[in-house]
């Protein structure tokens, strides 16, 4: 009987040790998961900031291209008018 108690106590100690080890592993994994989620969220924020900056730059480029097109049209109009006066 005492041998069985010793064996049961030893098994209980082993199982308790394994449970503590698994709890420690679980806690460590949860911390790593939170860290990974935070890093992913930071990357998503950076990506959205870059998308906004790209949109701003595209809009600015389109505006400048429109300005150039308007100036070219105006120059053509002036060239046409000046050809009439020269002729």
């Amino acid at each position: 009987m005492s041998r069985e108690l010793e064996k049961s106590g030893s098994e209980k100690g082993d199982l308790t040790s394994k449970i503590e080890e698994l709890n420690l592993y679980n806690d460590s994994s949860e911390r790593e998961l939170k860290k990974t989620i935070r890093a992913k969220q930071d990357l998503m924020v950076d990506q959205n900031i870059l998308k906004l900056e790209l949109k701003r730059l595209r809009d600015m480029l389109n505006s400048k291209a429109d300005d150039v097109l308007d100036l070219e049209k105006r120059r053509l109009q002036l060239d046409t008018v000046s050809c009439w006066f020269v002729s």
Side-chain angles (χ1 to χ4, degrees), residues 64-79:
K64 296 297 180 186
D66 288 343
D67 291 346
V68 168
L69 184 60
D70 290 341
L71 289 171
E72 287 176 351
K73 286 179 183 178
R74 181 70 178 141
R75 187 186 69 194
L76 286 174
Q77 289 172 347
L78 290 173
D79 287 347

Side-chain angles (χ1 to χ4, degrees), residues 32-46:
E32 190 64 30
L33 176 62
K34 287 178 183 178
K35 187 173 152 184
T36 302
I37 289 171
R38 243 181 281 120
K40 180 183 175 187
Q41 289 172 339
D42 288 345
L43 288 173
M44 289 171 67
V45 167
D46 291 345

Side-chain angles (χ1 to χ4, degrees), residues 4-24:
E4 287 179 23
L5 283 176
E6 264 182 46
K7 188 177 177 183
S8 293
S10 175
E11 286 179 7
K12 180 183 176 187
D14 290 345
L15 291 175
T16 301
S17 176
K18 285 181 184 180
I19 288 171
E20 289 172 357
E21 185 179 320
L22 289 172
N23 283 337
L24 181 62

Side-chain angles (χ1 to χ4, degrees), residues 8 13 21 35 48-49 54 58 65 67 77-78 82-83 87:
S8 293
E21 185 179 320
K35 187 173 152 184
N48 286 335
I49 288 170
L54 180 61
R58 278 189 182 143
D67 291 346
Q77 289 172 347
L78 290 173
S82 68
C83 285
S87 301

Side-chain angles (χ1 to χ4, degrees), residues 52-67:
L52 287 172
E53 180 68 9
L54 180 61
K55 182 185 179 321
R56 186 185 71 79
L57 290 171
R58 278 189 182 143
D59 290 346
M60 191 167 45
L61 177 62
N62 288 335
S63 173
K64 296 297 180 186
D66 288 343
D67 291 346

